[in-house]
C-alpha cells in the first residue's frame, strides 16, 4: 500500500532500515528524536500548514491523497517511536561520545544530565512518551478520516507535547 511515497518519508523509512513503521526500534533517545520524531513532526507541521486556504480557513481539498498518506505515515512513525520511549525509560540517551544538540552552550544538558533527569522520574517520562504516542495515533486517525479540524488540533498538541517533555527531561531546571 505504499505507492508514491514523498521523498522525505522514503528517506525517513530508509534511515530506520525498514519499510514499515512496525520496525521502529530506536537505540537511543537522541536517535529517536533526530532520526524519527523530529523529521516526522516537521513533515506533519508542513503538510498541516497547507490545509489553510488564502482566507485562513481549513480546507481538506487542498491536500492530495499522497499528502494525507504522508501525514498518516509520519504520525505512525511518531507513535511507534514514542511507544519505544515509553517502554524503555532506561534507553541510553546517546551513544558513547555523542553530544546532544546545543550541548556546548552555557547551561545546556549533557547526556548524563538527561539520564539523571529521567532516572529521577521514569514514570513521568513514560507518561510524557505515552502522551506523544496518543497524539501520533490521533494524527494518524485524522489523516485517515481526512478530518482537517482534528488534524489541526492534533498538530498543535504535538508541539505542546514536545515542549512539555523537554522542559522536564532535557533542559536544566533552574529557578
Ligand atoms: C518523552 C519525552 C520527550 C518527548 C515527548 C519529546 N522529546 Fe525530544 N527530547 C527528549 C529528551 C530527553 C531529549 C534530550 C536528549 C537528546 O538530545 O536527544 C530530547 C531532545 C530532542 C532533540 C535534540 C536531539 C539532539 O540532537 O540532541 C530534538 C530535535 C527533539 N528532542 C525533538 C522533539 C520533537 C520535535 C518532539 C515532539 C514532536 C519531541 N522531541 C518530543 C525527550 C522527549
Amino acid at each position: 500500500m505504499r505507492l508514491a511515497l514523498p521523498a522525505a518519508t522514503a528517506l525517513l523509512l530508509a534511515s530506520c532500515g525498514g519499510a514499515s513503521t512496525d520496525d521502529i526500534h530506536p537505540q537511543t533517545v537522541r536517535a529517536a528524536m533526530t532520526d524519527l520524531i523530529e523529521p516526522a513532526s516537521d513533515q506533519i507541521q508542513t503538510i498541516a500548514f497547507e490545509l489553510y486556504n488564502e482566507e485562513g480557513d481549513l480546507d481538506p481539498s487542498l491536500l492530495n491523497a499522497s499528502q494525507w498518506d504522508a501525514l498518516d505515515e509520519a504520525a505512525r512513525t511518531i507513535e511507534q517511536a514514542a511507544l519505544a520511549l515509553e517502554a524503555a525509560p532506561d534507553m541510553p540517551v546517546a551513544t558513547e561520545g555523542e553530544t546532544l544538540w546545543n550541548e556546548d552552550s552555557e547551561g545546556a544538558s549533557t547526556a548524563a544530565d538527561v539520564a539523571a533527569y529521567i532516572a529521577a522520574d521514569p514514570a513521568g517520562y513514560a507518561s510524557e512518551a505515552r502522551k506523544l504516542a496518543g497524539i501520533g495515533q490521533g494524527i494518524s486517525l485524522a489523516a485517515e478520516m481526512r478530518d482537517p479540524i482534528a488534524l489541526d488540533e492534533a498538530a498543535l498538541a504535538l508541539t505542546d507535547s514536545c515542549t512539555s517533555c523537554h522542559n522536564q527531561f532535557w533542559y536544566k531546571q533552574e529557578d
Side-chain angles (χ1 to χ4, degrees):
M1 289 296 289
R2 229 172 246 119
L3 308 169
L5 278 181
T9 310
L11 265 179
L12 193 67
L13 292 170
S15 72
C16 61
S20 157
T21 49
D22 297 338
D23 294 338
I24 288 176
H25 303 293
Q27 299 302 305
T28 63
V29 176
R30 180 161 189 268
M33 296 299 146
T34 56
D35 298 346
L36 300 166
I37 292 173
E38 163 89 356
S41 162
D42 275 357
Q43 197 181 15
I44 289 167
Q45 302 298 352
T46 303
I47 302 178
F49 183 71
E50 291 185 28
L51 272 170
Y52 283 94
N53 64 21
E54 282 171 13
E55 285 76 49
D57 298 321
L58 289 167
D59 177 358
S61 73
L62 292 171
L63 297 192
N64 61 35
S66 73
Q67 287 173 304
W68 286 111
D69 289 349
L71 274 173
D72 193 9
E73 193 74 36
R76 285 162 185 269
T77 297
I78 289 186
E79 183 187 1
Q80 293 305 315
L83 289 175
L85 295 177
E86 182 197 355
D90 58 347
M91 182 188 293
V93 173
T95 54
E96 192 76 35
E98 203 174 37
T99 52
L100 303 188
W101 186 77
N102 214 16
E103 187 179 317
D104 294 339
S105 56
E106 173 92 33
S109 303
T110 63
D113 293 330
V114 171
Y117 299 150
I118 296 173
D121 185 8
Y125 176 79
S127 136
E128 293 287 346
R130 187 159 55 245
K131 237 182 354 187
L132 178 60
I135 292 166
Q137 192 180 37
I139 292 174
S140 168
L141 274 176
E144 282 161 23
M145 308 290 287
R146 308 285 197 258
D147 181 339
I149 297 172
L151 184 76
D152 189 58
E153 283 170 1
L156 266 179
L158 180 64
T159 319
D160 289 346
S161 88
C162 316
T163 313
S164 169
C165 190
H166 290 164
N167 280 343
Q168 193 181 346
F169 297 103
W170 180 13
Y171 307 120
K172 279 216 166 78
Q173 299 296 291
E174 282 158 19
D175 324 284

